[in-house]
Amino acid sequence: MPLRAPLRSAHGTEAIRDVVLVRVVDDDGVTGWGECSALAAPTYTGEYADGAWDVLTRFVVPAVLAGRAPQVREHPMALAAVAGAQADAAARRAGRSLAAVLGGVRSSVASCAVVGLAPQGAGAGDGPVGDVVAAVAEALEAGHRQVKVKVRPGWSLEPVRAVRAGWPDLALAVDANGSFDPAAPGELDALDGLGLAYVEQPFAPDALVATAALARRWSTPVALDESITSPGWAEAAFALGAAGAVNLKPARVGGLAPAVAVASAAAARGIPVFVGGMLETGVGRAHALAVASLAACTWPSDLGPSTRYFAEDLAAPFHLRDGALVVPEGPGVGVVPDADRLDQVAVARTVLDR
Ligand code: MG
């Protein structure tokens, strides 16, 4: 799936979304869809699309077809794709929306726009800082209620100060994608005085102790994203005081059930949760929105409307309405990939049968 414009973060640049979808069909012909959020390369997490294809076709799906729980470690997004497809089918069988099945309470979810290191519409402004300012203006024009700017060492204070100067009251956040060094916190510490809604993932995913120390001395909430890979790691982060907020990526924690567990554990400690996106197609976006409808998910989601990433999505596109994404109310995840669009973009298919 070609992206509308390349998205650059501290992890690298995504220009084409290479994605694995899973469709399950039960004995009665009821169908469910799931999406593996792994990117094309193992830069954001260890999983990647071709690896997910391999682990799904050789291990996960054969186990599920044989009626066994897949004994697969370290592939949460592959597992989430199958579990999500099964949950979609089960909800469709029950004639209920997936959001309702999960206990969701929101009909819409406020949207936070993500502005990359080299923002979409680059060239619209006067130089790199001007490009960020132009991208923020475009996001606000589209109605987003919050903006999150990607930062890295050497590229944080300048763009953030420029955006602050333009919009003093904007709900503004930054995401470092783990790129800062806990041993050199000077630049990060300067961000603490800029009235940010949160600073996301300042340090490497396993640097929970350093992150907790930062959170203790800051007034700005520190949100964890890459660190939250399972309910167990979320509990560890909460117990250490490393998470002032959680960017919950349902696929990365292994799917819907673990995502609900993380959200519940955070809510029990009064830690705000927001659901994050991984350049999902409409299928994955719909699954993530079902999670974002939970009562615990109180902060704006960075899932974004389909049109922010794709000129043409796989399913009916999600649009912003009053700065929010509407949670699908139809049966299951509420969306189905368009067969013609799927034919246009599919590069490989395989069928595994009982
Ligand atoms: Mg992030």
Side-chain angles (χ1 to χ4, degrees), residues 130-332:
D131 288 346
V132 169
V133 170
V136 170
E138 187 192 335
L140 295 175
E141 184 73 20
H144 294 275
R145 297 186 192 172
Q146 188 180 54
V147 175
K148 176 157 61 184
V149 176
K150 296 280 190 185
V151 298
R152 59 170 168 72
W155 181 252
S156 65
L157 295 172
E158 207 186 346
V160 169
R161 282 181 179 140
V163 174
R164 256 292 162 255
W167 296 274
D169 300 323
L170 171 66
L172 176 64
V174 300
D175 185 1
N177 287 110
S179 57
F180 283 85
D181 179 354
E187 184 181 343
L188 266 180
D189 279 338
L191 286 172
D192 189 28
L194 296 174
L196 296 173
Y198 58 88
V199 172
E200 183 168 316
Q201 199 69 44
F203 303 138
D206 61 356
L208 291 180
V209 172
T211 309
L214 189 78
R216 272 195 297 276
R217 70 170 191 271
W218 272 19
S219 55
T220 307
V222 176
L224 287 183
D225 179 2
E226 285 91 330
S227 297
I228 306 297
T229 54
S230 68
W233 280 111
E235 284 284 4
F238 300 163
L240 283 167
V246 171
N247 183 346
L248 176 58
K249 305 245 165 94
R252 196 187 43 219
V253 298
L256 298 166
V260 171
V262 171
S264 303
R269 289 176 181 265
I271 296 171
V273 179
F274 56 98
V275 169
M278 292 191 60
L279 309 175
E280 284 87 353
T281 76
V283 174
R285 199 173 305 274
H287 277 274
L289 272 173
V291 174
S293 75
L294 295 173
C297 301
T298 51
W299 282 10
S301 163
D302 65 36
L303 280 165
S306 314
T307 48
R308 192 160 175 84
Y309 298 110
F310 300 107
E312 192 180 351
D313 202 344
L314 273 182
F318 287 96
H319 296 291
L320 281 190
R321 275 192 213 154
D322 297 327
L325 293 169
V326 175
V327 178
E329 286 182 341

